[in-house]
Amino acid sequence: MHPLPLPSDTPPLFKDLFVEPEEARSILRPQKDERYGFGFALSPYRGCGHGCRYCYVREYPNALHKPEDWGGWVAPKLNAPELLWSQRYKLHQARVFMASATDPYQPLERQYRLSRRCLEVLLLCPTTEVIVHTRSPLVLQDLDLLKAFGDRLSVGLSIPTDDDTVRQMVEPHAPPIPSRWAAAERLAAAGIQVTIGVAPLLAVHDAQAFARRAKASGAANAWVGGLRLLKQDPFYRILADHGWLKVLDTNYKEGIRAAFQEAFPPRKRKREARVETASAHTPAVVIQPGLFDRVG
Ligand code: SF4
């Protein structure tokens, strides 16, 4: 199948990315909402080269960039590992989510290695649990490091659709869907707990086959998260133009959710049992904060 042509306002490609290294003042963002199931969000970058067209982080206040520049600039936090090291006293028996407003394995990570170096710090915090969340198979470059965490680390892979032509329209600079499945398989085969995040839910071709594919990847679990759009979000126009407004429909979301529940029937997992013992209020499934609403 030929890919659909990209819209004329697609953000610039990686080679045109504005890279703006900076010294961050803080690195651990406390997460007070217990529904998310972690204590701190850790983002080694500001901005995101994946430039997903629905990502409302683009609207976060920014003195230098307009929302329409989203995906065209990234600020690597050069001192992130050192800052994290100096703050590690906060991390005793805490859970860290990496990352909430960027992708820790966006293309620049190949060069800057900030996510890797932050993980090396976290590895030295023996009571800290880590959730790495990404859209990129680049996470595999750190496979040995991820394995060194044992069962205190899990990887979430966002796979919001089973149709890569949809992905090409809405996540034009994020890796293709087949490469994400391959990453999930390799991570799971290496013994790493993998969660598939169907988030934010986009147009799906075959819900049952999609859910079976997720199960066959070796993922331990999956969740479905709905789109969260801003008032007068330009993404409405994209949804309307492609006949995808159904993704905002509750019945549509419930149908996808049911397919995944069938593929991943609820069961008590050892890791979840351990977490629940540590904190009676900590949910077993973690969601990407601020970006998507969980619907399953
Ligand atoms: S949704 Fe995630 S991967 Fe996509 S642009 Fe936003 S932060 Fe980056």
Side-chain angles (χ1 to χ4, degrees):
M1 185 183 296
H2 293 292
L4 296 171
L6 294 178
S8 57
D9 59 341
T10 297
L13 298 173
F14 180 45
K15 65 182 171 58
D16 297 321
L17 194 69
F18 289 104
V19 181
E20 301 160 349
E22 66 182 19
E23 298 284 320
R25 281 176 298 190
S26 62
I27 192 65
L28 289 170
R29 186 163 59 82
Q31 180 57 56
K32 296 191 171 61
D33 190 334
E34 291 180 340
R35 289 174 306 159
Y36 293 130
F38 61 89
F40 294 96
L42 164 58
S43 296
Y45 300 87
R46 257 187 336 110
C48 185
H50 286 163
C52 303
R53 294 165 67 81
Y54 49 74
C55 182
Y56 74 68
V57 181
R58 67 188 187 278
E59 294 282 352
Y60 284 9
N62 189 311
L64 296 178
H65 299 287
K66 299 178 196 153
E68 52 268 34
D69 297 334
W70 182 248
W73 61 274
V74 178
K77 300 178 184 176
L78 296 181
N79 59 338
E82 290 77 15
L83 208 47
L84 182 61
W85 177 254
S86 72
Q87 306 267 296
R88 67 190 187 284
Y89 66 91
K90 295 180 180 175
L91 297 179
H92 181 59
Q93 294 189 339
R95 205 185 229 193
V96 174
F97 184 89
M98 191 170 85
S100 62
T102 190
D103 192 314
Y105 285 97
Q106 61 186 289
L108 272 193
E109 173 62 12
R110 203 185 294 277
Q111 179 180 344
Y112 280 85
R113 296 295 196 138
L114 292 170
S115 297
R116 178 185 175 89
R117 290 176 53 216
C118 286
L119 283 171
E120 287 171 345
V121 172
L122 294 171
L123 184 62
L124 298 175
C125 304
T127 62
T128 304
E129 293 195 350
V130 180
I131 300 127
V132 175
H133 194 89
T134 181
R135 282 165 170 69
S136 176
L138 193 58
V139 66
L140 293 171
Q141 76 179 1
D142 291 336
L143 187 58
D144 287 343
L145 177 58
L146 301 174
K147 282 164 64 175
F149 280 83
D151 69 355
R152 66 186 176 94
L153 177 140
S154 61
V155 175
L157 273 164
S158 265
I159 305 185
T161 174
D162 58 347
D163 185 344
D164 199 59
T165 61
V166 175
R167 192 277 310 166
Q168 289 165 29
M169 294 300 294
V170 300
E171 300 180 352
H173 301 146
I177 300 299
S179 73
R180 301 186 207 180
W181 287 129
E185 286 167 1
R186 278 196 60 196
L187 289 163
I192 292 168
Q193 180 174 295
V194 174
T195 296
I196 302 297
V198 183
L201 175 62
L202 302 174
V204 168
H205 179 65
D206 182 333
Q208 277 71 30
F210 187 16
R212 285 195 301 270
R213 181 69 186 87
K215 185 69 178 174
S217 73
N221 47 37
W223 58 279
V224 179
L227 260 177
R228 182 175 164 185
L229 299 181
L230 305 161
K231 262 187 197 167
Q232 300 179 330
D233 197 311
F235 200 66
Y236 279 112
R237 167 58 52 196
I238 294 172
L239 293 176
D241 287 350
H242 292 85
W244 295 336
L245 283 171
K246 64 185 177 184
V247 303
L248 302 175
D249 184 88
T250 301
N251 291 334
Y252 183 77
K253 287 188 278 190
E254 289 303 321
I256 307 294
R257 178 186 182 189
F260 275 81
Q261 283 180 336
E262 191 180 335
F264 292 86
R267 64 189 166 87
K268 203 77 171 170
R269 284 178 286 276
K270 276 187 194 167
R271 178 180 171 79
E272 290 177 6
R274 188 164 65 83
V275 169
E276 284 163 8
T277 302
S279 168
H281 302 292
T282 304
V285 178
V286 173
I287 63 178
Q288 186 158 345
L291 290 180
F292 314 118
D293 295 323
R294 182 185 169 205
V295 297

